[in-house]
Each structure stands twice: as structure tokens, then as C-alpha cells.
Amino acid sequence: MNKYIYELELKVRDYECDLQGIVNNANYQHYIEHTRHEFLLSAGISFAYLHQQQIDPVVARITMDFKTPLKSGDCFISKLYIKKEGIKYIFYQDLFRSSDLKIVLKSKVETVCVINGRLGHSELLDKTLSPYILNEL
Amino acid sequence: MNKYIYELELKVRDYECDLQGIVNNANYQHYIEHTRHEFLLSAGISFAYLHQQQIDPVVARITMDFKTPLKSGDCFISKLYIKKEGIKYIFYQDLFRSSDLKIVLKSKVETVCVINGRLGHSELLDKTLSPYILNEL
Amino acid sequence: MNKYIYELELKVRDYECDLQGIVNNANYQHYIEHTRHEFLLSAGISFAYLHQQQIDPVVARITMDFKTPLKSGDCFISKLYIKKEGIKYIFYQDLFRSSDLKIVLKSKVETVCVINGRLGHSELLDKTLSPYILNEL
Amino acid sequence: MNKYIYELELKVRDYECDLQGIVNNANYQHYIEHTRHEFLLSAGISFAYLHQQQIDPVVARITMDFKTPLKSGDCFISKLYIKKEGIKYIFYQDLFRSSDLKIVLKSKVETVCVINGRLGHSELLDKTLSPYILNEL
């Protein structure tokens, strides 16, 4: 079964590679953040707009398994699916190298919502994301 | 007359914006570096491959005029043309906001070639770039 | 008991903050990577030297708990201790805000060693790190 | 004569180096921005505070001459002096490698002030910076 509900193809930029000649690990966080924000946009809300409304989704916990390093010139597909646990939205975000679909990164990003400086529920966010939540039997 | 010989459309990523809510200036250097490297690829050579051959194009001088700040959600077109002056390749690189073609950045990037650690001419680079040089009357 | 065997004080740089006005999450990975590399240097080996010897420590897995966001102007102390499990060196890396010692980030970074492109043991690394390993009863 | 009115010592972080093994050019912009903001703090105002007051100093033009590349492990001294021309504050910012004081970067950063979205004078900024302006005969 294909759990993924959103995907985006990206390409490594040379400045993202470090002296080992591979993408520096911190850039994978950039890739998956950008994917979440593009997913939000596709669902109708912008991260910058949320911030202006004093609604700030923040990452509480992140786990990343680095499987295959990306190199200069590589394209990759960034995919995600979402679960909800209590007040947390949990994004499962995996990257695959385009050339052979080899897994590059497996990650789990647990987010909470800060509203006017306090943890809380955002109705706007809940309403926007509810069609996309994976409910397992 | 359209001098540009290469263009690439890109989109602002939210992590590129800083606390002023606009793209941090250093990222414009990333955008134009990425454009040069993609241009090189389109012309048949990769920056990483050049480095493996001990041929390192380096930037000697850069001038950037910041005209209109890019914001979260903006798409933009990155264009370039090239002149040659002595041993220098000079890239003229301009960015335009996609929505209204307003000029975002005007820049001039003067590059030289370091071969095995010394300034020099790369025949490979000269041969590859020569069809693209703008020769003004 | 104080498990930490290395610490480094750092300060937030404004370009590390994003449009939410807080340090962008990916920069915490930069902070803890920089701390590991400075720790290695203090123990007598440089990351760049290792790479030249074809010894590349790489991160296999990272877990980060974001506790308190850092802001423009904040100083923080980056601390680490190390355990060894099989071929893995596991770095426990925590950040504390200097002003009140509030915990900012708790992280666990599991690293392995790639030698000439294959997973392996580096005697140099083992010898250098052995005095620093935390052995729990 | 020593024109410089502020200096800050910094150290290269490995993630700032790219696949050429030297500091990626865009990071020099980070170094000099951080130096300006630290200078402002030393003079009594914070960049984040200015933004909250709707006073946003922005860079209109930047020129950088890259003289000697910094590498992993290098320390460097970032120095600046300031001139005023019309509504522009012009920061002259040079970097020197600590080990031998070799010049790394010469740069000129022309800044203007955006107040509530329009170009303007900030009395706060003028008053704070006036003791530091270099007036040449």
C-alpha cells in the first residue's frame, strides 16, 4: 500500500555538499522542512501566513535515519504521510534517489502548534490537515 | 536584445528567509552559484567533475545590487550571460520575480580558474564555454 | 554525576533565525556537528585530516528533542558525552541556554566510520576516542 | 593609520566548507553580516530589536574581493569601519587569517534603512552610529 500523500522532486545543489563531497546532514532537515511547507501550500495554507496569524507549527522531535548519501548532481523524491497522535501531527518523510529509487533518508517529524506563545490546537490547521491523516486499522 | 543565454526558475524556500521575513542576502549567492553550476551542466561539464580533475573555478570578485527582496512563496527566474576578459570569465547574473518580472538582483561574478593550486587556463573550460561568450561590437 | 566530557559556548547568529524569529531547526544540527568536530580537534584529530586519509565518520541516525527555541542574541553551551555500541560511536549532545541553563536541545547522534568507501573500524579513531568513552556499570 | 573601529575573531566551521574543501563563498556574507550585527550590539542596539520597531537596515549593494580562501580549522579576524554617504551607511569589512594576518576578503557593504516599508532616516540608528563614522579630510 502506498501511504504517501504528497511528493516533490528536488535536486542537490553543490553548496549543500560539504568537504566529504556529500550533502551535509543538516540539509536533509532543510529538504524535509521545505517539503512540509510545500505540502501545506498544496493543501491551501502557507507557513508564513500561519506565522502572521500567531500560529506557529514547531518541531518537537525529529528522528532521521541516513541510509544513502546524496551527491552533487543527484535528484531525489521527497515523500510524506501524516498521522495524528493527541495534539501532535507526525510527519513521516522519506527521500528516494531518483535514478534508482534507493532510500536516502527515513525520518519522523513530530510537530506541535504554538498559538500566541502557548501549545494549543489550531482549528485552521486541523481542518486543513484532516483529509490527509493516515488512519490505520 | 536579449543577452541572456541561460535561465532557471527557482522558488524561495522558507528556511532561506530570516527574521526580517525576507530572503537572507547570503542566499542570493547560493541562487546564482547554483545557476552557474546548472548552466555548466547544461553545457556538458559538472563542477564536481572539474574539482576531481583539479580544475577549480573560483570567484575572485562579486558585486550584487539588491533591488527587490524576495519573500516566502515567491518564484523567480535566474538568468545569466557571460563575457571573457583576459583569464577571467565574467558572469552577469540577474534575478527576476516570476509574478511581475520585477528585477530582484543584478550581479556580476568574476571567476578565475585554479589548476592544481595555481591560476591558469583550462582548455576543457575554454572549449566548453566559448560558444556562450557574449562578444560586443 | 556529570557525564559530559566536552563543552563549547556558542552564540546565535541572526542569519540562523528564520521568519518565526527563532533559530531554524536545521541549525541545531550545525551546532552539534561543529561541537563534535571541535571535540575531535581537542582530542587531537581533525575531521578534514580524517577525510584526507579516506576515513569518513558519518552519521547513521540522529534524534533531536527540541525543548526551548533559541532566539537572536542568545548564548548557549553545547555539551557532549560518548558511548560505544558495537561499531557505533554514540554522541549524546545537549544544548543549554547560557542565561538560565534551561535545556534547549537533547540529541543522540549515532555515527559509524566509512573507510575507503566501506563501513569499518578506524584504529586511529578508536585510539583517540577510547579515553573519552562513558562506561556505565 | 588604523581605520577599523570594530573587530571580532571567528573560526571556520566544517559545514561551511564545500566540495572544493574551502569555505563556500556565500558564508563570507554570513561572516560579515554577523560582524555588523555584533558591532551594532556593542554600540547598544540589536538588529532583532530594530526589526520589532519596524526599522530594517537592508543591504543595497555589496562588493566582495575574495583574496585567500579559508579552510577547515582556520581562525580569522573580521574588521570593519564605516562611512556615511547621503542616506547610506557604508561598511568596509575585511577578513584576515589569524595565523599570518593574510587578507582573506575585502568587502564594501552599502546599507540603507527601511522604516515602515519605506526608505528613510532612523534617528535611533543615526545617533547610535555617529560616533563611529570615519570622516576623511
Side-chain angles (χ1 to χ4, degrees):
Chain A
M1 195 193 73
N2 182 5
K3 297 173 173 180
Y4 301 110
I5 48 101
Y6 183 76
E7 68 179 63
L8 183 66
E9 187 162 22
L10 296 168
K11 185 175 184 180
V12 170
R13 299 176 181 178
D14 286 343
Y15 63 79
E16 296 166 341
C17 298
D18 64 19
L19 52 80
Q20 287 187 331
I22 53 180
V23 168
N24 183 274
N25 290 326
N27 287 307
Y28 294 100
Q29 262 195 74
H30 282 153
Y31 295 156
I32 60 178
E33 178 193 294
H34 181 56
T35 305
R36 287 195 306 280
H37 292 202
E38 287 296 291
F39 160 68
L40 279 181
L41 270 182
S42 78
I45 37 176
S46 112
F47 188 77
Y49 173 78
L50 286 173
H51 177 63
Q52 284 154 16
Q53 307 301 309
Q54 317 273 344
I55 302 167
D56 285 311
V58 296
V59 174
R61 183 165 225 254
I62 196 167
T63 311
M64 290 185 283
D65 285 290
F66 300 94
K67 299 295 195 180
T68 309
L70 288 171
K71 295 187 177 172
S72 172
D74 282 343
C75 291
F76 58 98
I77 304 161
S78 177
K79 302 187 178 190
L80 68 77
Y81 62 92
I82 318 174
K83 293 185 185 174
K84 195 167 193 310
E85 284 183 17
I87 63 164
K88 283 187 186 169
Y89 284 101
I90 305 184
F91 292 79
Y92 292 84
Q93 300 195 248
D94 303 328
L95 306 184
F96 301 89
R97 189 162 60 190
S98 298
S99 61
D100 57 4
L101 299 184
K102 201 167 177 182
I103 181 90
V104 165
L105 178 84
K106 276 186 81 67
S107 73
K108 183 180 171 185
V109 181
E110 305 179 32
T111 65
V112 291
C113 206
V114 175
I115 298 171
N116 293 313
R118 301 184 55 178
L119 274 188
H121 281 278
S122 156
E123 271 186 49
L124 170 59
L125 209 57
D126 286 345
K127 202 172 146 189
T128 309
L129 294 184
S130 64
Y132 298 100
I133 304 302
L134 178 69
N135 293 302
E136 284 174 315
L137 299 185
Chain B
M1 194 194 73
N2 182 6
K3 296 173 174 180
Y4 300 110
I5 48 102
Y6 183 77
E7 69 180 62
L8 182 66
E9 186 161 24
L10 295 168
K11 185 175 184 180
V12 171
R13 299 176 181 180
D14 286 342
Y15 64 79
E16 296 166 341
C17 297
D18 63 19
L19 51 81
Q20 287 187 333
I22 54 179
V23 169
N24 183 274
N25 289 326
N27 288 306
Y28 294 100
Q29 262 196 73
H30 282 154
Y31 296 155
I32 60 177
E33 178 194 294
H34 181 56
T35 305
R36 288 196 305 282
H37 292 202
E38 287 297 293
F39 160 68
L40 278 181
L41 269 183
S42 78
I45 37 175
S46 112
F47 188 76
Y49 173 78
L50 286 173
H51 178 62
Q52 284 153 16
Q53 307 301 309
Q54 318 273 345
I55 303 166
D56 284 311
V58 297
V59 174
R61 183 164 226 255
I62 197 167
T63 311
M64 289 185 284
D65 285 289
F66 300 94
K67 299 294 194 180
T68 310
L70 288 171
K71 295 187 178 171
S72 173
D74 282 344
C75 291
F76 58 98
I77 303 162
S78 177
K79 302 187 179 190
L80 66 78
Y81 62 92
I82 317 174
K83 292 185 186 173
K84 195 166 193 313
E85 285 183 17
I87 63 164
K88 284 187 187 171
Y89 284 101
I90 305 184
F91 291 80
Y92 292 83
Q93 300 195 246
D94 302 329
L95 305 184
F96 301 89
R97 190 163 57 190
S98 299
S99 61
D100 58 4
L101 299 184
K102 200 167 177 182
I103 181 88
V104 167
L105 178 84
K106 277 187 79 68
S107 73
K108 184 181 171 187
V109 182
E110 305 179 34
T111 65
V112 291
C113 207
V114 174
I115 298 171
N116 293 313
R118 300 185 55 178
L119 274 188
H121 280 278
S122 156
E123 272 187 48
L124 169 59
L125 209 57
D126 286 345
K127 202 173 147 189
T128 308
L129 294 183
S130 66
Y132 300 100
I133 304 301
L134 179 70
N135 293 302
E136 286 173 313
L137 299 185
Chain C
M1 195 194 70
N2 182 4
K3 296 173 174 180
Y4 301 110
I5 48 102
Y6 184 76
E7 66 179 64
L8 183 66
E9 187 162 23
L10 296 168
K11 185 175 184 179
V12 170
R13 299 177 180 179
D14 286 342
Y15 64 79
E16 296 166 340
C17 297
D18 63 19
L19 51 81
Q20 287 188 331
I22 54 180
V23 168
N24 183 274
N25 290 326
N27 287 308
Y28 293 100
Q29 245 181 285
H30 282 153
Y31 296 156
I32 60 178
E33 178 193 294
H34 181 57
T35 306
R36 287 195 306 280
H37 292 201
E38 287 297 291
F39 160 69
L40 279 182
L41 269 182
S42 78
I45 38 175
S46 112
F47 188 76
Y49 173 78
L50 285 174
H51 177 62
Q52 283 154 16
Q53 307 300 310
Q54 318 274 344
I55 302 167
D56 284 311
V58 296
V59 174
R61 183 165 225 255
I62 197 167
T63 311
M64 289 185 284
D65 285 289
F66 301 94
K67 300 294 195 180
T68 310
L70 289 171
K71 294 186 179 174
S72 172
D74 282 342
C75 290
F76 58 98
I77 304 162
S78 177
K79 302 187 179 191
L80 67 77
Y81 62 93
I82 318 174
K83 292 185 185 175
K84 195 167 193 312
E85 284 183 18
I87 64 163
K88 284 186 187 170
Y89 284 101
I90 305 184
F91 292 80
Y92 292 83
Q93 300 195 246
D94 302 330
L95 306 183
F96 301 89
R97 190 163 59 190
S98 298
S99 61
D100 57 5
L101 299 184
K102 199 166 178 184
I103 181 89
V104 166
L105 178 84
K106 276 186 81 66
S107 73
K108 183 180 171 187
V109 182
E110 305 179 32
T111 65
V112 291
C113 207
V114 174
I115 298 172
N116 293 313
R118 300 184 55 178
L119 274 187
H121 282 277
S122 155
E123 272 186 47
L124 170 60
L125 209 58
D126 286 346
K127 202 172 148 188
T128 309
L129 294 183
S130 64
Y132 299 100
I133 305 301
L134 178 70
N135 293 302
E136 286 174 312
L137 299 185
Chain D
M1 194 195 72
N2 182 6
K3 297 174 174 179
Y4 301 109
I5 49 101
Y6 184 76
E7 68 179 61
L8 182 66
E9 187 161 22
L10 295 168
K11 185 175 183 180
V12 171
R13 299 178 180 178
D14 286 342
Y15 64 79
E16 296 166 341
C17 297
D18 64 18
L19 51 81
Q20 287 187 332
I22 53 180
V23 169
N24 183 273
N25 289 327
N27 287 306
Y28 294 100
Q29 245 183 285
H30 282 153
Y31 296 155
I32 61 177
E33 177 194 294
H34 181 57
T35 305
R36 288 195 306 280
H37 292 202
E38 287 296 292
F39 160 69
L40 279 181
L41 270 182
S42 78
I45 36 175
S46 112
F47 188 77
Y49 172 78
L50 285 174
H51 177 63
Q52 284 153 17
Q53 307 300 309
Q54 318 274 345
I55 303 167
D56 285 312
V58 297
V59 174
R61 184 165 225 255
I62 196 167
T63 311
M64 289 186 282
D65 285 290
F66 301 94
K67 299 294 196 181
T68 310
L70 289 171
K71 295 186 178 172
S72 173
D74 282 343
C75 291
F76 58 98
I77 304 162
S78 177
K79 303 187 177 189
L80 67 77
Y81 63 92
I82 317 174
K83 293 185 186 173
K84 196 169 192 312
E85 285 183 18
I87 64 163
K88 283 187 188 171
Y89 284 101
I90 306 184
F91 292 80
Y92 292 82
Q93 301 195 246
D94 302 329
L95 306 184
F96 301 89
R97 189 164 57 189
S98 299
S99 60
D100 57 5
L101 299 183
K102 200 166 178 183
I103 180 89
V104 166
L105 178 84
K106 277 187 81 65
S107 72
K108 183 181 173 186
V109 182
E110 304 178 35
T111 65
V112 292
C113 208
V114 175
I115 298 171
N116 293 314
R118 300 185 56 179
L119 274 187
H121 281 278
S122 155
E123 271 186 48
L124 170 59
L125 209 57
D126 286 345
K127 202 172 147 189
T128 309
L129 294 184
S130 66
Y132 299 100
I133 304 301
L134 179 71
N135 294 302
E136 285 174 314
L137 300 185

